[in-house]
Amino acid sequence: MLDSSSVAGTTLTYVLLVLVALGALPIIAMGYQFVLIPFHAFRNHYAKAAPYLPRVAVVIPAWNEGAVVGTSIDNLMALEYPADALRVYVVDDASTDDTPDVVLAKARQYPGQVFHLRRAKGGEGKAHTLNHGIAIILEDDWMEALLIMDADVVYLPDSLRKMTRHLADEKVGAVTAYIREGSLKKNYLTRFIALEYALSQAASRRAQNVMGAVACLAGGAQLHSRANLEELGGRIDTSSLAEDTVTTFKTQLAGRTVVFEPHAVVLAEEPQAVAALWKQRLRWGRGNVHITRMYRKLWFRKQEGNRLGSLDFGLVWFGVAFQPVAMVLSSVGLVGLYFLESPVSAQVFRTFWALAACTYIFTMVVTIALDPVTGRKTLREAIFFPGLVSVVITVATFFPGLLEEDVPALLGVELSDGILRAWTLFVYSWITLSMVGAWIVKRVDSTRAGRFVSPVLVYLVGYGPILCAITVDSYVKELRHADASWDKTEKTGRILA
Amino acid sequence: MNRSTREELQREIDRDRRAERMMVPYALLAVAVIAVIMVVREVFFV
């Protein structure tokens, strides 16, 4: 007969194992996405694409973009696209710098192609600014497709025509491009961001093409058919900080397809300091929390005409949103098993970490292979994306005895049981501690020493944990109903033109 | 759109479509890298 403490211990062990399993869900979601990527070879939209050069109206929201908007307009005018089928509308959101002068000078330089639209009252956010321009563009029937872009992005010459070809299929409502980090002089952070964009766009968006559900049209590269825009009510949602994601969802819920075009490349300027990155991603994160709530009746419910409610898309969506929670659950599970002195704890830890390591290696190799331009510049960041500490733990897990026995033996030392136990407890907890480390990076970055210490800390703690910590911050801010004003990322025009 | 432009754009579509076939060897390369690490582990550390 079983005694009650034995039953409680067994039950607790199972509970902790479930926590570890839940913690592995984001890893499984990531692995699943990357396993889909090779299927993009056969399941893509190219068979339905056709030569098509519609009249495109480009709308650029601009608030104090004087440093960058002139170059962006010149770049658009130099696109390999028929000049008589391209118009640029800069919606000046009551800028207080020289944006109006720059745009008006470009309007004189490109008569009939560049237009300056000014809002008398600004500061209401990107969506309001866009809507001002879209309403004017829709007043006549010249526009056949609308390109929404940011003032600072640079389109490669062939990118627009590579996007429009998908609109030849009337079922396609919108097309997005591959936003690549394009700073002329990259620092450690922009290299991490470059790699992240290759992972989250060039790679993951291909998987979403295969799934038949795209999570987000990039804010700097959204091409809509006129029919789609009119079906959306001729305006962009203004209730969210992630208006581009809302537009993406609404397009697909209306039964239209969203296509990611990986060969259309758009260069964007990204933050060079952790504080600026945190501010930008917090806005995105809060927008995603808002959308998760907004579409709460959509998740994991099959629907006619779109795959947003499918199991796999839900797994991918919540794999990102749920990741910080998963990290904490896995740590709690592993540390709990350790203190229970469960005989399975070491095996569970090794399995968990090996799954994470294999997924990580697979994703990085695929990403570097499919964007070798970025891959060549970010090899160091590819290794240290999860942080040096996690890399050491991965090596220790993959090669049992290497760090506990072989390396100390080489150094002529022997690790005591106490040190080994402390090390074990540390590695079991690191998944959660890494987010605390990320928060410390943010604090240090805003100090005078941050300029020198931050890069070291980012490589140590990892870029991935920083993104997770920002997600936690977005949960907290949303729960507290903190002020959600639209806070623009500062741009300086240091993009690779 | 004249005929030569149309043909050029179609060639571009076909070229990009063919380029996507490289996704398969890229994935196989990633599997191969993992396999090599696993072999090293099994031979030297287990």
Side-chain angles (χ1 to χ4, degrees), chain A residues 294-480:
Chain A
M294 190 172 167
Y295 291 106
R296 58 189 172 278
K297 291 182 180 167
L298 172 81
W299 308 116
F300 303 109
R301 287 174 190 156
K302 273 190 178 177
Q303 291 191 340
E304 199 67 40
N306 74 80
R307 297 207 71 248
L308 292 173
S310 63
L311 176 67
D312 53 357
F313 184 75
L315 188 68
V316 168
W317 179 270
F318 284 95
V320 176
F322 180 65
Q323 193 162 15
V325 178
M327 288 165 81
V328 174
L329 291 182
S330 58
S331 278
V332 169
L334 288 168
V335 171
L337 288 172
Y338 173 82
F339 281 116
L340 274 183
E341 297 183 350
S342 167
V344 297
S345 68
Q347 187 55 44
V348 169
F349 170 73
R350 279 211 193 91
T351 306
F352 178 88
W353 209 264
L355 178 70
C358 289
T359 307
Y360 164 65
I361 294 165
F362 189 83
T363 56
M364 285 301 168
V365 173
V366 169
T367 300
I368 289 169
L370 61 84
D371 184 359
V373 175
T374 300
R376 273 195 295 273
K377 293 174 186 164
T378 59
L379 280 175
R380 186 172 48 198
E381 285 69 28
I383 294 167
F384 294 110
F385 197 86
L388 176 62
V389 176
S390 290
V391 171
V392 170
I393 293 173
T394 304
V395 171
T397 311
F398 239 94
F399 305 110
L402 180 67
L403 291 189
E404 298 94 332
E405 295 159 22
D406 297 350
V407 173
L410 270 177
L411 299 171
V413 293
E414 193 177 333
L415 300 181
S416 67
D417 282 352
I419 291 175
L420 283 174
R421 273 200 293 273
W423 164 251
T424 305
L425 199 55
F426 172 74
V427 298
Y428 284 12
S429 318
W430 175 246
I431 306 166
T432 297
L433 291 178
S434 66
M435 286 191 284
V436 178
W439 180 77
I440 292 169
V441 173
K442 187 211 172 196
R443 301 287 296 193
V444 169
D445 192 64
S446 55
T447 65
R448 209 181 274 177
R451 192 176 158 199
F452 308 103
V453 181
S454 281
V456 178
L457 287 178
V458 172
Y459 283 106
L460 195 67
V461 170
Y463 181 79
I466 290 177
L467 299 182
C468 288
I470 298 171
T471 305
V472 173
D473 200 9
S474 67
Y475 293 163
V476 174
K477 294 274 193 313
E478 279 296 296
L479 284 171
R480 284 182 177 175

Side-chain angles (χ1 to χ4, degrees), chain A residues 20-345:
Chain A
V20 178
L22 285 172
L25 279 179
I27 301 168
I28 293 165
M30 180 60 107
Y32 172 72
Q33 274 196 84
F34 274 74
V35 165
L36 288 183
I37 290 171
F39 293 95
H40 201 253
F42 320 105
R43 192 167 173 173
N44 54 54
H45 191 258
Y46 293 111
K48 292 175 184 170
Y52 180 51
L53 301 170
R55 292 189 298 270
V56 177
V58 183
V59 61
I60 308 176
W63 179 72
N64 289 353
E65 301 279 11
V68 294
V69 72
T71 308
S72 291
I73 294 169
D74 287 336
N75 170 258
L76 286 169
M77 292 296 109
L79 286 179
E80 293 166 1
Y81 203 84
D84 59 354
L86 191 66
R87 288 182 181 174
V88 178
Y89 297 82
V90 179
V91 188
D92 172 7
D93 195 31
S95 297
T96 52
D97 70 345
D98 61 345
T99 299
D101 300 332
V102 172
V103 179
L104 288 168
K106 291 298 170 188
R108 285 191 292 276
Q109 186 181 346
Y110 305 108
Q113 280 191 282
V114 176
F115 302 90
H116 174 248
L117 310 174
R118 183 163 172 94
R119 296 186 77 206
K121 181 176 171 286
E124 289 182 288
K126 185 179 174 183
H128 286 278
T129 312
L130 286 171
N131 286 336
H132 181 87
I134 292 169
I136 292 168
I137 291 165
L138 282 172
E139 280 174 4
D140 63 42
D141 58 3
W142 185 87
M143 181 270 285
E144 293 175 315
L146 181 94
L147 178 68
I148 296 172
M149 63 175 272
D150 293 333
D152 61 305
V153 300
V154 170
Y155 279 65
L156 294 194
D158 59 0
S159 50
L160 180 57
R161 69 161 191 257
K162 288 190 171 187
M163 293 170 80
T164 58
R165 60 195 183 184
H166 296 286
L167 293 183
D169 174 7
E170 287 184 358
K171 283 186 179 170
V172 175
V175 184
T176 192
Y178 170 27
I179 305 279
R180 182 189 278 160
E181 207 293 321
S183 300
L184 191 57
K185 285 185 180 173
K186 287 184 170 41
N187 73 353
Y188 76 100
L189 195 60
T190 50
R191 283 197 298 275
F192 272 118
I193 296 171
L195 181 66
E196 179 207 354
Y197 281 9
L199 270 164
S200 65
Q201 295 194 38
S204 291
R205 295 267 188 269
R206 275 183 168 98
Q208 291 170 20
N209 273 348
V210 175
M211 273 189 265
V214 172
C216 184
L217 289 156
Q222 309 179 34
L223 180 73
H224 295 271
S225 69
R226 185 180 184 111
N228 186 54
L229 194 67
E230 287 177 339
E231 200 156 306
L232 293 174
R235 61 192 303 279
I236 303 298
D237 179 86
T238 55
S239 69
S240 170
L241 289 172
E243 78 293 331
D244 41 10
T245 310
V246 177
T247 308
T248 314
F249 274 51
K250 283 187 170 178
T251 297
Q252 292 169 98
L253 289 171
R256 292 184 189 274
T257 307
V258 170
V259 174
F260 167 67
E261 170 50 75
H263 299 280
V265 177
V266 177
L267 306 177
E269 178 188 342
E270 297 302 332
Q272 292 207 314
V274 173
L277 174 78
W278 201 287
K279 189 174 84 170
Q280 180 198 51
R281 299 309 172 87
L282 187 64
R283 176 160 50 83
W284 296 3
R286 292 190 65 181
N288 287 340
V289 173
H290 179 81
I291 286 162
T292 305
R293 281 206 316 249
M294 190 172 167
Y295 291 106
R296 58 189 172 278
K297 291 182 180 167
L298 172 81
W299 308 116
F300 303 109
R301 287 174 190 156
K302 273 190 178 177
Q303 291 191 340
E304 199 67 40
N306 74 80
R307 297 207 71 248
L308 292 173
S310 63
L311 176 67
D312 53 357
F313 184 75
L315 188 68
V316 168
W317 179 270
F318 284 95
V320 176
F322 180 65
Q323 193 162 15
V325 178
M327 288 165 81
V328 174
L329 291 182
S330 58
S331 278
V332 169
L334 288 168
V335 171
L337 288 172
Y338 173 82
F339 281 116
L340 274 183
E341 297 183 350
S342 167
V344 297
S345 68

